[in-house]
Amino acid sequence: MAFWWPLIVIGIAYGICRFLLMLIPPNVPSIEVDASDVLDDGNQTQENSFIYIPPRGKAQQSETKVQCYEPATMKYLGFFPALTTIEVEERVAQVRKAQLVWAKSSFRQRRQFLRILLKYIIEHQELICEISSRDTGKTMVDASLGEIMTTCEKLTWLLSEGEKWLKPEYRSCGRSMLHKKARVEFYPLGVIGAIVSWNYPFHNIFNPMLAAVFSGNGIVIKVTSDSRRTFLHSYNLHVLLVSEHASWSGCFYHRIIQAALAAVGAPENLVEIITGFAETGQALVSAVDKVIFVGSPGVGRMIMGHAAERLTPVTLELGGKDAFIVCDDADVSHVRILQLVPMSHVAQVAVRAALQSSGQNCAGAERFYVQKGIYSSFVTLVSKIVKSVSAGPPQIGKYDMGAICMLEHSERLQYLVNDALDKGAEIAARGSFGHLSEGAVDQFFPPTVLVNVNHTMKLMQEEAFGPIIPIMKFETDEEAVKLANDSKYGLGCAVFSGSQRRARELASQIHCGVAAINDFASSYMCQSLPFGGVKDSGFGRFAGVEGLRACCLVKSVVEDRLWPYIKTVIPKPIQYPIAPNGFEFQESLVETLYGLNIWERLRALVNVLKIISEQSSSTTISDPFRLLIFLVPWGCKQRLDSVTKSSIQWLMALRTARIFHQTLTLELHLSSTTIEGLLIHQIKSLTKTLYFVKCLTNSTELLRLDKKAPELVKLDLSNWAVTAVLSLILISQAATIKASWGGQELNDRLEE
């Protein structure tokens, strides 16, 4: 007990010190960002105060200007230039020049950049959410959940663990490279190109930017447009990128980043945000060192094709059709643990999963599978909640749900609903509309609950990207898994059950990239986890350790563990010119290193050393010692780490040892000055070794240590390296069954 008290006191003192340090506010400078031109204070000029009526169809935008408007009110916000290929290449070149300077920055400087951003975000939450709300039509609550919380979580994770995961990581060397040290090093790639979706403009800009900048890269970001509307147009990049919804907010968010970079002395132009259409995006893909794309499978395939021309690596997050599974025992744990109305809790999570950001959420729940026993009660509860939801423009009143951002997308949602109704589905509930301006009626779609759905309906197969809740009944767990996997998408899933074991088992069988047990989308709030999907949901990961390192050049490095004392030596049988028994040597070497049986490996080791000894009539001890570094099949790795310089010097003193093949007798000729200090302290060490050799061989020859030398040979056999070398010499000669030491038989010595 007396031993533990000091440790307990030290632990308590450490905790108190950490707590006191937390009370000291960090020295983080504040930044000022001009927001006068983005605030809706009622003083807009006539140019920016009219209702914008965009053209429909393919000619939605001018080729030289990106027009911006509020989806919820259709109020005009202004325009930005659509950059040409040459202009994009110039921006990328500027970023590349700045990145060369930033790559040499310290992690301390990078962390200060993150702290400045975090401080600004916390102090200006309302401003950031209002701008996102105006540009995408989402409510302030949706903006806070999807823009602020997720970004702050990523910032705090990078501050806490970012440096740790970018430092060199040491790995095991394996059996053949035991004398080496192996590590992985992470270097900046250069310039990252990110083409991100409009549904969360603040987070989708900051998410790739934070990872890229913290890992030492520069980044050019383009906010993409109606990239999910592949159903309306042919697969032509110029047609698909028809409108830039989040350019207005994105350019303001860029000011925040620039101000924070300037505050830490970072080079200008390290981060750029560009606007434009197909030509702009194609030029960006062709000019950067890595591409991160968030959008639709159709556009993702085309971006991948353009990137393939230069073999530029890509990370694709292409949306999903996430399954939300509710088992009939889902109420058990909620009654006992949460003390809540059980199904009401799950129903609230389900509605949030479907209606967050008006359903315009790549990780949103789009397929609901409920077990037969609780199907009716679940539908009743969800319908009750949905009927209470009102949709309207967030800037005018307090509504539960905002607008549909994409033009004409409400028509597509109605098309999916009509197709389901025609095939037997029924509408169980719908939400209501608030006061809508005449020009913005088409920008809203009521939250809708559908029952009696099945997989023949397009609603259950295609990504809806809207506030629709189709609920399907299942009977067994196997059926639920089969239904969940019956999709071309594979981004995420959520499984609810009173048994966590059952929920885990179900989730493990669903082919997707992220899963939540008794929750929805919680994995994304754990920013240490990677995010991404499979199948048509894309490949590669952003977020987490994997996403951070994906912004790096990953380099494998190997070097000598004890340089210059131990070096790699190519064995004589495979040195040029190759010896006749070179392949036999390799066979034995492979079996020695990787054989499944310890005795087979040792016999192969004997053959390896025999072949080496045949190459020279006088083999020095340094050769088998170098082989020992990776051939000895028992626990030498741990001891190798503690070999000292003096141990190596003792081994070099044995260079004059000679092996007489004719008599199979070992003689050691050493001078008295050489053996000074090398006394025999542990005869038992040698006798055990000889006994070990005895068990491995069938020879009846006598091994003796010749005492005719001027001085009695004396070795410090407590040194593991000397003992091991002697053992290898004995094994290589296969020379011992009988051994004597000072006239006493080996077995007698062992008894002692």
Side-chain angles (χ1 to χ4, degrees), residues 145-279:
L145 288 170
E147 309 275 24
I148 301 297
M149 287 191 68
T150 51
T151 305
C152 289
E153 188 65 37
K154 188 175 188 72
L155 281 163
T156 53
W157 177 77
L158 283 172
L159 285 168
S160 175
E161 300 184 33
E163 181 179 358
K164 167 187 173 182
W165 297 112
L166 293 179
K167 283 186 173 181
E169 181 179 284
Y170 284 85
R171 305 282 180 87
S172 62
C173 298
R175 294 178 178 178
S176 63
M177 292 288 112
L178 201 58
H179 59 303
K180 299 286 188 179
K181 290 190 298 185
R183 65 179 179 272
V184 181
E185 297 178 347
F186 304 94
Y187 298 93
L189 276 175
V191 179
I192 308 293
I195 302 177
V196 297
S197 60
W198 46 264
N199 53 338
Y200 292 102
F202 181 76
H203 179 70
N204 285 346
I205 287 172
F206 272 66
N207 184 36
M209 182 277 298
L210 292 172
V213 172
F214 191 81
S215 56
N217 296 283
I219 186 168
V220 181
I221 305 170
K222 178 182 183 293
V223 181
T224 190
S225 55
D226 294 355
S227 57
R228 301 183 183 274
R229 299 176 59 203
T230 55
F231 63 95
L232 285 177
H233 309 296
S234 63
Y235 275 27
N236 178 280
L237 188 61
H238 181 72
V239 175
L240 286 170
L241 296 176
V242 290
S243 126
E244 297 293 316
H245 289 297
S247 296
W248 180 76
S249 59
C251 290
F252 170 73
Y253 298 147
H254 186 210
R255 299 179 198 170
I256 302 173
I257 299 170
Q258 287 178 315
L261 288 171
V264 297
E268 295 183 12
N269 306 317
L270 183 65
V271 177
E272 286 286 349
I273 292 181
I274 60 176
T275 55
F277 303 110
E279 180 185 3

Side-chain angles (χ1 to χ4, degrees), residues 501-569:
R501 180 177 180 180
R502 180 185 182 187
R504 284 195 299 266
E505 180 67 22
L506 284 170
S508 68
Q509 299 177 64
I510 298 174
H511 195 42
C512 61
V514 294
I517 306 299
N518 286 319
D519 204 347
F520 170 76
S522 54
S523 55
Y524 195 73
M525 286 304 296
C526 300
Q527 279 291 312
S528 62
L529 297 177
F531 183 80
V534 294
K535 299 190 284 190
D536 275 16
S537 291
F539 57 83
R541 297 295 184 264
F542 58 80
V545 179
E546 293 77 5
L548 184 62
R549 289 179 171 178
C551 296
C552 298
L553 167 63
V554 181
K555 183 179 293 186
S556 300
V557 180
V558 178
E559 62 178 325
D560 288 308
R561 188 185 297 271
L562 293 173
W563 174 268
Y565 303 110
I566 302 176
K567 306 175 185 178
T568 300
V569 176

Side-chain angles (χ1 to χ4, degrees), residues 260-527:
L261 288 171
V264 297
E268 295 183 12
N269 306 317
L270 183 65
V271 177
E272 286 286 349
I273 292 181
I274 60 176
T275 55
F277 303 110
E279 180 185 3
T280 307
Q282 185 173 343
L284 178 61
V285 172
S286 302
V288 296
D289 302 306
K290 178 183 173 66
V291 176
I292 299 172
F293 173 72
V294 181
S296 71
V299 181
R301 289 186 179 93
M302 289 180 289
I303 286 179
M304 189 174 175
H306 288 298
E309 296 175 2
R310 296 178 61 248
L311 295 180
T312 303
V314 297
T315 294
L316 302 177
E317 194 276 280
L318 306 178
K321 193 75 179 172
D322 288 9
F324 191 103
I325 299 174
V326 184
C327 300
D328 56 5
D329 62 347
D331 57 333
V332 176
S333 67
H334 295 301
V335 171
R336 294 180 180 178
I337 298 175
L338 297 177
Q339 299 298 321
L340 295 172
V341 178
M343 291 309 301
S344 177
H345 169 77
V346 181
Q348 281 286 353
V349 176
V351 174
R352 168 58 66 180
L355 303 189
Q356 166 70 24
S357 194
S358 302
Q360 300 166 118
N361 188 3
C362 57
E366 296 210 359
R367 294 178 295 152
F368 293 80
Y369 302 106
V370 181
Q371 200 155 14
K372 183 178 180 180
I374 59 172
Y375 181 81
S376 297
S377 58
F378 182 83
V379 170
T380 300
L381 288 168
V382 169
S383 299
K384 181 179 179 181
I385 296 171
V386 168
K387 288 178 181 179
S388 68
V389 174
S390 61
Q395 294 78 32
I396 297 177
K398 291 185 178 181
Y399 296 101
D400 303 304
M401 197 181 81
I404 301 297
C405 187
M406 295 184 295
L407 289 172
E408 305 173 25
H409 188 55
S410 59
E411 297 178 6
R412 198 245 174 174
L413 295 176
Q414 189 60 52
Y415 164 76
L416 293 176
V417 171
N418 291 341
D419 175 76
L421 295 176
D422 292 341
K423 295 176 181 177
E426 298 177 6
I427 295 178
R430 267 193 159 173
S432 60
F433 287 131
H435 176 72
L436 306 180
S437 60
E438 184 177 350
V441 173
D442 292 339
Q443 295 300 115
F444 292 88
F445 191 87
T448 303
V449 179
L450 290 173
V451 295
N452 298 331
V453 296
N454 58 63
H455 279 214
T456 65
M457 303 170 183
K458 294 181 180 180
L459 179 62
M460 298 297 285
Q461 295 294 333
E462 300 178 7
E463 184 178 24
F465 220 59
I468 303 176
I469 306 177
I471 308 176
M472 185 173 176
K473 187 185 305 180
F474 75 90
E475 293 189 2
T476 65
D477 290 1
E478 292 75 16
E479 183 185 3
V481 171
K482 182 178 179 181
L483 291 170
N485 286 328
D486 183 24
S487 174
K488 62 182 179 180
Y489 293 99
L491 182 57
C493 71
V495 181
F496 287 78
S497 171
S499 167
Q500 280 197 308
R501 180 177 180 180
R502 180 185 182 187
R504 284 195 299 266
E505 180 67 22
L506 284 170
S508 68
Q509 299 177 64
I510 298 174
H511 195 42
C512 61
V514 294
I517 306 299
N518 286 319
D519 204 347
F520 170 76
S522 54
S523 55
Y524 195 73
M525 286 304 296
C526 300
Q527 279 291 312

Side-chain angles (χ1 to χ4, degrees), residues 123-140:
E123 294 176 349
H124 297 83
Q125 296 182 55
E126 185 176 358
L127 172 63
I128 294 169
C129 290
E130 181 181 345
I131 292 173
S132 174
S133 175
R134 292 185 65 190
D135 208 12
T136 63
K138 63 168 59 74
T139 65
M140 293 289 283

Side-chain angles (χ1 to χ4, degrees), residues 606-626:
V606 170
N607 194 40
V608 167
L609 295 174
K610 277 186 176 181
I611 294 173
I612 290 178
S613 64
E614 290 173 0
Q615 302 301 309
S616 174
S617 60
S618 179
T619 303
T620 64
I621 288 190
S622 58
D623 291 328
F625 175 69
R626 287 174 180 141

